[in-house]
Amino acid sequence: MTKVVPTLLTLSLALGSTAAFAGGPVVVEEEGQPEVVAESPRSGWIVPVVVGLVVLCAIACGNDDDATTGTTLTGS
């Protein structure tokens, strides 16, 4: 019995130390969750162009007060 204990201790140290240092560190990467990347909106220029066209149309059309007041010219 006295020879079995040192033999088992030596064997467990020999097998345990090789398994502990074998292979180096283990890095586990998660493959189930894909990385989400926010995309820039494709229509980012459409809204300012439409608003600009509306403003230009409002300026070009103007406000003709004479046509809306109902005044008429009477001739001779």
Side-chain angles (χ1 to χ4, degrees):
M1 179 83 164
T2 58
K3 291 185 179 184
V4 173
V5 173
T7 306
L8 287 176
L9 183 61
T10 305
L11 184 62
S12 66
L13 285 174
L15 293 177
S17 65
T18 57
F21 294 114
V26 176
V27 178
V28 178
E29 295 182 13
E30 295 181 16
E31 295 182 18
Q33 300 292 332
E35 184 176 337
V36 178
V37 177
E39 296 181 12
S40 63
R42 294 180 1 190
S43 63
W45 60 273
I46 294 176
V47 174
V49 169
V50 170
V51 170
L53 289 175
V54 169
V55 169
L56 285 176
C57 180
I59 291 171
C61 294
N63 188 7
D64 192 13
D65 289 337
D66 293 338
T68 59
T69 57
T71 59
T72 59
L73 295 174
T74 55
S76 52

